């Protein structure tokens, strides 16, 4: 079920990566799907505290870890610009669901990138 949060619906996920030709759109699309999937899980599970939220973001971060191989196959990688854009969107998601105090490093603690 797609997210219903109005902030999420109006947000351009991974915009900085879509705006940069170094990142292939078809792979960035997969990253966007990961973030939207995270939103769907948050809406379905309704985490009550940061610990529960971090458990959900860990899964999404691991999905981004797996996506690295697709970036590499397309002649790209999750590098500095991508790391910042992805981290900002994890923070956006946390704030959109009432967790503005979430720590970005905890949100993406499982990252390999």
């Amino acid at each position: 079920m797609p997210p219903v949060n109005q902030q999420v619906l109006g947000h351009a996920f991974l915009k900085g990566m879509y705006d940069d030709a170094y990142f292939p759109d078809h792979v960035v699309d997969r990253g966007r799907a990961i973030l939207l999937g995270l939103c769907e899980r948050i809406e379905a599970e309704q985490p009550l505290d940061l610990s529960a939220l971090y458990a959900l973001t860990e899964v999404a971060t691991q999905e981004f870890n797996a996506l690295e191989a697709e970036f590499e196959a397309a002649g790209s990688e999750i590098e500095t610009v991508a790391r910042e854009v992805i981290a900002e969107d994890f923070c956006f998601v946390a704030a959109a669901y009432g967790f503005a105090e979430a720590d970005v490093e905890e949100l993406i603690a499982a990252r390999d990138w």
Side-chain angles (χ1 to χ4, degrees), residues 12-113:
F13 284 101
L14 305 178
K15 182 175 179 349
M17 293 175 72
Y18 280 114
D19 290 346
D20 188 332
Y22 177 70
F23 304 107
D25 284 353
H26 72 280
V27 184
V28 178
D29 289 344
R30 300 271 322 267
R32 182 177 178 275
I34 291 169
L35 291 165
L36 288 171
L38 171 61
C39 294
E40 291 170 11
R41 287 189 296 273
I42 291 170
E43 290 183 12
E45 297 182 28
Q46 298 184 0
L48 298 177
D49 58 23
L50 284 173
S51 177
L53 176 69
Y54 293 151
L56 296 175
T57 62
E58 179 178 355
V59 172
T61 301
Q62 290 171 349
E63 292 173 1
F64 268 102
N65 289 346
L67 194 59
E68 176 69 17
E70 291 186 45
F71 275 105
E72 290 175 1
S76 184
E77 66 179 311
I78 298 178
E79 43 72 77
T80 305
V81 170
R83 285 184 204 111
E84 291 177 7
V85 170
I86 295 166
E88 287 172 6
D89 275 344
F90 269 87
C91 287
F92 166 80
V93 168
Y97 289 99
F99 295 97
E101 74 283 9
D103 180 270
V104 66
E105 292 303 320
E106 289 295 323
L107 290 170
I108 56 174
R111 74 186 180 283
D112 290 340
W113 29 273

